[in-house]
Amino acid sequence: MTGGPGVMTGGPAASPSDRRGRSPGWSDRSYEAWLSLILAAGILLRFATLARQSLGYDEDFTAVVVQRPLGQMLTAVSRDSAPPLYYVVEHLVAQVGSEPWLLRMISALGGVASIALVGWIGRRVGGDRAGLLAAAFVAALPAAVLSSQTARMYSLAAVLAVAAAVALWRAREVPSVPRWVAYALLAAAAVWTDYFDAIALISALIALAAVRPPRRTLMRAGAASLVAAASLTPWLLFAESQFAHVGQSFWVAPLSAQSVGAAFAQLVAGPQIDPGIPDRSLLIVLQGVGVVLAAAAMLAFAVAWRRLPRAERGRAWFWLLASVAGIGIVAAVSLWRPLFEARYLGVLWLPLAALAGVGLAAIGRGAGLAAIAGLTVVSLGLTIPI
């Protein structure tokens, strides 16, 4: 049975996925060895400069609030604009110490976990080389590195959103109670970390519906998602003062071609360089190089799409929609209340990083490695200066 753009709609028969796309001469051991090297490089990029920067970009709120007693902290967070899970975890970290590098540890670990998850997605779509290049792409991408070095919830929210989507896909392939429970738990953790993760869950459900699974699978996915969302009800009742923010003016620029372009550029290259920063012009040039390299990877994926076998194209379609549908929802909401900003979109974009890896694999090993090397240089150039 087929449905959608070349999507296999059979259930378990469409899996033993871990053996799919295996390149000649590859083994699990060699793949894992290369992935370990990429993870090590990603750890080095994130941790080497973790303590160099002073607190900024709302990190000061995190640093102050997590050092309060738990009840006072939850009351303060309930008057802000976020769920409490990230702050609870940081509160536990703050019992050890309040140094900036320690407060950034959760974000850094989330960034490292995203490398492995994105590699898994890339491997499922395009084979071993695509998996490794996808992992290397997110390991080296400037915005991913910078987000991993910020004591805010965005890095953790992004990795939980993509982990929930991975669990959803695995439950779709081989439905079982443990897999549905795993999806529900990850989905609940995601929405307890960032409200925008609710959009990521909706986006994943749209992607699942697009690949036309059995009706029972779609109903189970919807039920598990509702349970995850409903788990947030006690917090919403406690934090009812947050609803007052809905009608207030917000700092995000109205939706326009300029704001959309700026958001996508920052998704790749990190936040804008503030005036007065030393060597600002050079840093902006580095950001531009990063944007060009990432755009080339996505363009390569668009070209490679037609070359993918039907089953792989179906998986690519799922992951494309799992990200793009959510971005479209944010754009639609922004017509009423501007929210189209890189730090919020950042919880939705990781599947696109996996597809960029597929594109890099399609243009050849040398060109793909050159793009990764270029992104690494850009990340180093943006993170080493103080």
Side-chain angles (χ1 to χ4, degrees):
M1 298 174 62
T2 60
V7 180
M8 297 297 296
T9 57
S15 215
S17 54
D18 295 331
R19 294 191 297 271
R20 279 201 188 122
R22 183 68 50 76
S23 301
W26 282 88
S27 66
D28 283 331
R29 182 175 298 177
S30 61
Y31 179 87
E32 290 168 0
W34 282 108
L35 181 60
S36 297
L37 289 175
I38 293 169
L39 285 169
I43 290 171
L44 184 62
L45 275 174
R46 285 154 178 78
F47 282 81
T49 58
L50 202 61
R52 287 173 58 83
Q53 305 293 343
S54 58
L55 294 174
Y57 292 106
D58 296 336
E59 290 180 301
D60 47 357
F61 177 79
T62 301
V64 170
V65 78
V66 300
Q67 295 183 64
R68 297 181 179 181
L70 182 61
Q72 293 182 21
M73 183 196 75
L74 291 176
T75 299
V77 173
S78 73
R79 295 168 182 166
D80 189 49
S81 56
L85 181 58
Y86 171 77
Y87 293 102
V88 171
V89 175
E90 285 283 32
H91 178 74
L92 297 175
V93 173
Q95 307 312 304
V96 179
S98 58
E99 293 84 357
W101 69 268
L102 198 54
L103 294 177
R104 292 165 176 155
M105 186 65 66
I106 299 302
S107 294
L109 292 175
V112 172
S114 70
I115 298 172
L117 283 170
V118 168
W120 185 90
I121 296 169
R123 191 185 193 195
R124 295 297 306 275
V125 173
D128 292 338
R129 182 182 298 174
L132 293 174
L133 286 171
F137 181 84
V138 77
L141 194 68
V145 174
L146 292 167
S147 177
S148 298
Q149 296 179 329
T150 305
R152 296 296 288 160
M153 74 288 294
Y154 305 116
S155 177
L156 180 61
V159 75
L160 285 172
V162 77
V166 166
L168 177 62
W169 180 260
R170 287 175 60 80
R172 176 260 179 192
E173 286 186 326
V174 184
S176 67
V177 172
R179 291 194 175 196
W180 286 118
V181 170
Y183 166 67
L185 290 175
L186 286 167
V191 297
W192 276 83
T193 301
D194 192 309
Y195 292 132
F196 278 85
D197 274 6
I199 297 176
L201 297 184
I202 295 171
S203 186
L205 289 176
I206 292 172
L208 181 66
V211 299
R212 301 183 186 179
R215 182 174 299 177
R216 180 179 298 180
T217 298
L218 195 56
M219 291 178 63
R220 288 174 176 172
S225 301
L226 285 175
V227 168
S231 73
L232 196 59
T233 302
W235 168 255
L236 294 177
L237 294 175
F238 176 72
E240 60 178 343
S241 60
Q242 290 187 353
F243 293 104
H245 299 321
V246 174
Q248 296 176 354
S249 59
F250 207 48
W251 59 269
V252 177
L255 196 67
S256 66
Q258 182 178 0
S259 66
V260 169
F264 280 119
Q266 291 175 36
L267 274 177
V268 171
Q272 292 180 345
I273 307 298
D274 294 333
I277 296 293
D279 300 317
R280 181 171 182 262
S281 297
L282 176 59
L283 297 178
I284 291 174
V285 170
L286 284 173
Q287 286 188 318
V289 172
V291 170
V292 170
L293 290 173
M298 290 309 303
L299 180 60
F301 167 72
V303 174
W305 171 273
R306 295 181 178 275
R307 304 179 191 172
L308 291 173
R310 186 163 61 178
E312 280 73 8
R313 191 182 300 178
R315 283 179 232 127
W317 180 242
F318 172 85
W319 291 109
L320 182 64
L321 279 178
S323 186
V324 171
I327 293 172
I329 291 172
V330 175
V333 172
S334 294
L335 296 173
W336 163 66
R337 168 72 181 272
L339 292 172
F340 205 88
E341 207 274 336
R343 71 185 69 185
Y344 305 138
L345 297 176
V347 306
L348 306 168
W349 72 277
L350 280 177
L352 292 181
L355 299 181
V358 176
L360 292 177
I363 62 177
R365 181 186 304 175
L369 291 177
I372 298 299
L375 288 172
T376 302
V377 171
V378 172
S379 289
L380 288 172
L382 292 173
T383 55
I384 288 177
I386 297 178

